[in-house]
Amino acid sequence: MELPRWLASILPQFGKATVLEDIKAELKQLREVTVPVMKKYASMHGKRKFKNAWVKDIDARFDKRLKARYSGNFIVPVAEAMENAIVLLEIAERVVGDLPHDLVRDAMSLRAANAIQLIETVTFAQKYTRSLMLAAMAFEESEYGVDSADDVKVGDLRKIESNLDSYIQAIDILSLSEKEVGKKFEELPDMTVNRDSVPVAESTIGKGKTDPFKFGFIPVRWNPIYYVGIMLAEWHVQNLQLAKDEKDMLEFKLIQLEEAEKGNPDNAALQKRVQITRDRIERLRYKLDQEGMLDNGNR
Amino acid sequence: METVNRYPRGYICRIAFAPGGDPVPEITNVSAQPSVEVLMKVRESNSSRDTSSWSFQGQVIALAAKLFGNFRQWLLLQLTTNDNIYDLNLRFLQDTVQFIRTGQRLTSVQNWLEMLAEYPDARPGCAGQQRADAFDIGDTHEFDDFISMWCSKEGGFEDMLCTMNVLFGPTKSTAKAR
């Protein structure tokens, strides 16, 4: 989201401790859930030649649009970006930790603004990664006779497709090296901005200098902590639970695809686990949606 | 006569050896290995003091040494003679070997417990040397120190105990009814 719009939409004020707590929760989710499961995917299917047309199309769009170079299919740069996100969040943690006071919307330092948008990019990319992988595996295993029609809801698919370009942009940002990101933060001028002063600031320091990561190209906002006053602890607990259920589901999908490839697409016990976990994920997503705690990019 | 126990998810364990070996062991179906049940109850009581004590950990390690004996031999027994282990029940063994080697599992032991077949029927002829070959366990000394290999991985001690519960523990319905 472009900086003036972003500054206009966030809460008037939030504590430095809140942001640090948010970073800690994102790091926990990355380390315990997203990175381990994506490493498994990359090692097992990173060189896979997909059979399903929808998955092939996703792979082709990554190939065409992602600037970061990789070998294998799109699972590889996604897994690498998720692992790299840990290092980048640690940089954001240091930037926020060095701020002299809490964050105020009308006098936001450029470093703070970029750090928070980096955190949001990680939040978005983590959620999207798990949704994308669940959909991709469901489509792919359907080519081997697995009845996975219920595993991808139309609404989820629509969200995946409508946000794919933003996601690829996010993966590019999260593929930047520690050195590149550190340098971008260091080179940010030590100045504060508000929604009205960004154009003036840009005329002084140069166009685009307020947004060196190009967060402006990611039009959605994903972390309600910075937009609506919600219970921080509850948000993190619910999201971690959802992430863990999605991780279980992704692991079941790995096993299901492997079994299907061996000519055994109908393992009843496995299908039952998939169904139970899918129902739990749907319930939790619905609950978070109802409570306004899950931003799906529809705002 | 050689005596072998078969546990609810089809895995077997030699409990008495015949001198010179017996080509047709006597197989007894059992509901669970009692010590595994006791140790799992202690774990499920969620008393970290109990489970982190050397007394508890020593019992788990001693039980693993007793039940697996020579881990490679135990594994070969499942792969080459056990026609009741196939599909996911076989895949769990592969995942366990991977954990002992790398500390990584495809999914958690708890998830496996929920997925594995109980009292699987035999599929005559499915066991054989070809399965052992697929496990790549040609190195006869690789698992000489399997307990320390297992427990030295992150979460390894817990993984070993829960794996013993899958291999030698009661059915899910029995465990839930406790």
Side-chain angles (χ1 to χ4, degrees):
Chain A
M1 194 182 295
E2 286 180 4
L3 190 55
R5 273 189 65 206
W6 182 78
L7 285 166
S9 62
I10 58 171
L11 290 169
Q13 189 170 351
F14 39 87
K16 193 169 122 175
T18 301
V19 184
L20 290 171
E21 202 179 321
D22 191 30
I23 293 173
K24 202 177 283 179
E26 286 298 327
L27 281 170
K28 184 178 169 69
Q29 207 180 105
L30 277 170
R31 288 182 177 128
E32 293 182 8
V33 180
T34 312
V35 171
V37 81
M38 284 313 299
K39 276 186 167 176
K40 287 178 201 174
Y41 265 84
S43 74
M44 291 173 76
H45 296 296
K47 295 195 187 307
R48 185 181 188 85
K49 302 283 179 213
F50 298 109
K51 278 180 84 171
N52 180 269
W54 187 85
V55 188
K56 274 184 186 172
D57 182 52
I58 296 280
D59 196 35
R61 284 172 74 176
F62 263 82
D63 191 39
K64 194 174 167 192
R65 291 171 188 265
L66 192 75
K67 293 191 189 84
R69 290 296 89 205
Y70 59 96
S71 62
N73 58 41
F74 74 96
I75 297 173
V76 174
V78 168
E80 287 172 354
M82 289 298 104
E83 195 168 9
N84 194 51
I86 293 175
V87 179
L88 305 194
L89 270 188
E90 286 169 348
I91 296 175
E93 194 173 28
R94 286 196 292 275
V95 170
V96 174
D98 287 344
L99 295 175
H101 44 67
D102 288 347
L103 294 93
V104 182
R105 181 177 62 191
D106 291 334
M108 182 74 73
S109 79
L110 282 177
R111 282 187 190 162
N114 277 275
I116 291 172
Q117 289 186 91
L118 180 59
I119 302 164
E120 278 204 90
T121 302
V122 174
T123 307
F124 160 55
Q126 280 211 81
K127 281 198 175 86
Y128 190 103
T129 293
R130 294 191 300 266
S131 297
L132 173 64
M133 296 312 300
L134 283 173
M137 285 303 118
F139 281 123
E140 188 66 5
E141 68 189 14
S142 69
E143 300 290 329
Y144 296 86
V146 176
D147 180 10
S148 56
D150 289 338
D151 289 350
V152 189
K153 297 277 175 264
V154 175
D156 294 336
L157 201 57
R158 200 175 54 231
K159 286 170 199 163
I160 288 171
E161 288 174 349
S162 61
N163 288 308
L164 182 63
D165 289 345
S166 299
Y167 176 68
I168 293 174
Q169 172 77 20
I171 293 298
D172 255 332
I173 292 171
L174 299 179
S175 300
L176 293 170
S177 71
E178 182 179 8
K179 198 175 163 188
E180 286 171 299
V181 170
K183 192 162 175 262
K184 283 183 192 296
F185 273 112
E186 271 173 29
E187 288 176 352
L188 275 168
D190 186 13
M191 63 192 297
T192 59
V193 288
N194 60 43
R195 58 187 295 189
D196 301 319
S197 69
V198 174
V200 181
E202 288 213 331
S203 68
T204 312
I205 62 174
K207 195 161 171 56
K209 291 280 174 63
T210 58
D211 182 17
F213 295 96
K214 298 187 170 46
F215 293 123
F217 291 100
I218 302 177
V220 288
R221 50 188 206 184
W222 292 85
N223 194 332
I225 285 170
Y226 303 111
Y227 303 98
V228 287
I230 59 159
M231 294 292 289
L232 183 68
E234 196 186 340
W235 146 261
H236 283 144
V237 168
Q238 305 257 29
N239 269 286
L240 186 60
Q241 186 53 53
L242 177 61
K244 284 178 174 172
D245 285 340
E246 287 173 341
K247 175 177 179 276
D248 279 351
M249 187 68 157
L250 284 166
E251 290 170 349
F252 294 146
K253 289 278 154 203
L254 281 174
I255 297 167
Q256 201 165 32
L257 181 57
E258 194 179 83
E259 287 297 300
E261 284 177 320
K262 286 186 214 158
N264 182 23
D266 301 318
N267 188 299
L270 183 51
Q271 281 178 341
K272 191 179 168 196
R273 292 318 304 165
V274 166
Q275 188 189 331
I276 290 169
T277 311
R278 185 179 60 220
D279 291 349
R280 225 169 35 214
I281 289 170
E282 278 173 18
R283 273 200 303 273
L284 203 46
R285 280 182 180 169
Y286 179 77
K287 187 169 183 282
L288 288 166
D289 264 337
Q290 290 298 299
E291 294 170 5
M293 292 169 74
L294 187 71
D295 191 323
N296 294 309
N298 292 333
R299 294 172 189 219
Chain B
M1 169 174 282
E2 179 166 281
T3 313
V4 169
N5 277 352
R6 187 185 307 284
Y7 295 92
R9 279 165 283 277
Y11 303 101
I12 56 178
C13 183
R14 277 196 181 104
I15 55 166
F17 291 84
D22 189 326
V24 188
E26 183 187 357
I27 296 181
T28 309
N29 288 314
V30 294
S31 60
Q33 209 287 337
S35 302
V36 170
E37 281 194 286
V38 170
L39 292 170
M40 283 302 287
K41 274 182 195 167
V42 174
R43 177 185 172 272
E44 284 159 11
S45 71
N46 204 18
S47 166
S48 58
R49 198 186 61 183
D50 286 347
T51 53
S52 63
S53 71
W54 168 244
S55 159
F56 178 77
Q57 295 186 351
Q59 287 179 67
V60 172
I61 288 167
L63 186 61
K66 176 184 157 190
L67 291 174
F68 293 113
N70 178 318
F71 184 80
R72 183 172 175 275
Q73 288 301 323
W74 177 85
L75 197 55
L76 282 170
L77 185 71
Q78 316 304 315
L79 299 175
T80 60
T81 72
N82 192 346
D83 284 337
N84 294 63
I85 296 297
Y86 45 83
D87 291 346
L88 294 185
N89 294 43
L90 179 66
R91 188 65 180 85
F92 175 67
L93 290 181
Q94 202 179 359
D95 203 37
T96 298
V97 169
Q98 178 177 294
F99 185 89
I100 296 170
R101 283 173 171 156
T102 67
Q104 301 293 320
R105 270 196 183 282
L106 198 47
T107 193
S108 67
V109 180
Q110 183 57 39
N111 280 343
W112 280 116
L113 180 65
E114 297 292 340
M115 287 188 291
L116 299 191
E118 297 188 336
Y119 303 111
D121 293 329
R123 276 190 193 164
C126 74
Q129 186 57 41
Q130 78 286 354
R131 297 206 309 195
D133 294 342
F135 269 59
D136 191 20
I137 50 172
D139 178 354
T140 54
H141 296 295
E142 181 184 2
F143 296 107
D144 282 357
D145 298 316
F146 76 95
I147 294 177
S148 61
M149 278 173 80
W150 205 332
C151 295
S152 64
K153 305 296 185 298
E154 190 181 344
F157 175 81
E158 183 84 353
D159 188 277
M160 187 174 77
L161 173 57
C162 294
T163 297
M164 285 199 288
N165 184 50
V166 171
L167 300 173
F168 312 116
T171 62
K172 281 178 289 183
S173 54
T174 313
K176 280 174 188 162
R178 283 203 296 254

